[in-house]
Amino acid sequence: DTGVSQDPRHKITKRGQNVTFRCDPISEHNRLYWYRQTLGQGPEFLTYFQNEAQLEKSRLLSDRFSAERPKGSFSTLEIQRTEQGDSAMYLCASSQDRGRADIQYFGAGTRLSVL
Amino acid sequence: KQEVTQIPAALSVPEGENLVLNCSFTDSAIYNLQWFRQDPGKGLTSLLLIQSSQREQTSGRLNASLDKSSGRSTLYIAASQPGDSATYLCAVTLIGGSNYKLTFGKGTLLTVNP
């Protein structure tokens, strides 16, 4: 499979629990992005990695959120002490560094429901 | 702050009709503009990417144009088919730094009726 893979596809959790999502990018892609999409909205940028370095985090990413990309391969996004407002689709995307022609390839997303 | 607006929010057309989706953005300092397709509960698929120096791109029945100075883009779909039913999202990449993060509009929900 040469696409971006995300796991799990769906996650239901109770408020206050911790959750972790995984993203496996396309193997030769050095850039990895996380976005969050709520119902009726476009995706919003959360954070960006170039290889293993996390180079930018959105103000949307509170201190309950943490992301890693060890060895510049897969990435994880953890949410601690989940809140109902965290319910959303979490999308991962990867790309090669092609400047103005940079195309991001998206995974199918992880849908989080916080009860 | 870059804002991306898409009009209309929803569009329903009969099969075979040609249609235009609109996108506008407030900051013209962009690297590129992309149009994506999103099927219900699914991720995004890139349809067309227009670099800031380009005016248009074509792929099959799709044609996207870019007028950077006025902050506008259109996606033209010819001879629409029921399989074209999806949400279409417009996104821009701002110039600055090494982060090519995308700023999206809210999308246009397209329904093509057989």
Side-chain angles (χ1 to χ4, degrees):
Chain A
D1 184 8
T2 58
V4 177
S5 177
Q6 291 189 246
D7 184 69
R9 293 291 310 278
H10 300 95
K11 179 70 178 179
I12 300 173
T13 191
K14 293 182 179 179
R15 189 174 53 188
Q17 298 294 305
N18 300 341
V19 295
T20 300
F21 310 142
R22 177 179 171 123
C23 171
D24 287 273
I26 294 172
S27 59
E28 65 269 25
H29 286 184
N30 61 342
R31 295 167 173 270
L32 187 145
Y33 301 81
W34 285 96
Y35 294 85
R36 181 171 69 187
Q37 186 177 27
T38 54
L39 202 61
Q41 304 293 314
E44 294 176 289
F45 169 77
L46 291 179
T47 190
Y48 155 64
F49 290 85
Q50 185 161 349
N51 300 310
E52 67 275 9
Q54 186 175 21
L55 298 184
E56 186 171 341
K57 293 193 294 186
S58 162
R59 282 173 288 180
L60 292 175
L61 219 61
S62 75
D63 56 7
R64 296 184 297 105
F65 288 71
S66 63
E68 295 182 340
R69 192 184 182 195
K71 302 179 183 178
S73 56
F74 71 92
S75 176
T76 58
L77 178 67
E78 181 183 16
I79 308 174
Q80 296 183 327
R81 304 181 305 281
T82 52
E83 302 173 356
Q84 288 185 325
D86 297 331
S87 296
M89 175 79 88
Y90 290 84
L91 295 162
C92 174
S94 70
S95 71
Q96 287 182 307
D97 187 351
R98 293 187 174 177
R100 295 170 189 267
D102 193 73
I103 293 177
Q104 293 182 28
Y105 294 85
F106 283 78
T110 293
R111 181 168 296 283
L112 173 66
S113 298
V114 181
L115 305 178
Chain B
K1 178 188 172 187
Q2 177 73 275
E3 292 185 3
V4 179
T5 303
Q6 291 189 245
I7 294 173
L11 182 63
S12 181
V13 300
E15 182 177 3
E17 193 161 297
N18 302 327
L19 58 100
V20 174
L21 308 181
N22 296 290
C23 172
S24 62
F25 48 95
T26 54
D27 187 339
S28 62
I30 62 170
Y31 272 134
N32 60 48
L33 181 142
Q34 296 181 66
W35 283 93
F36 290 87
R37 169 185 173 138
Q38 186 172 32
D39 292 287
K42 303 279 183 68
L44 283 65
T45 301
S46 179
L47 298 173
L48 290 165
L49 179 148
I50 311 176
Q51 297 180 42
S52 59
S53 57
Q54 298 174 326
R55 286 282 190 167
E56 65 178 340
Q57 285 288 333
T58 297
S59 175
R61 294 182 293 108
L62 306 179
N63 175 277
S65 68
L66 174 64
D67 184 342
K68 200 176 68 165
S69 61
S70 68
R72 295 176 187 273
S73 175
T74 61
L75 178 66
Y76 175 82
I77 302 177
S80 57
Q81 302 171 358
D84 295 330
S85 298
T87 296
Y88 290 81
L89 292 154
C90 164
V92 297
T93 304
L94 279 181
I95 290 175
S98 63
N99 181 355
Y100 298 152
K101 62 186 176 185
L102 296 168
T103 301
F104 285 87
K106 293 183 179 181
T108 294
L109 176 61
L110 173 65
T111 303
V112 181
N113 301 300

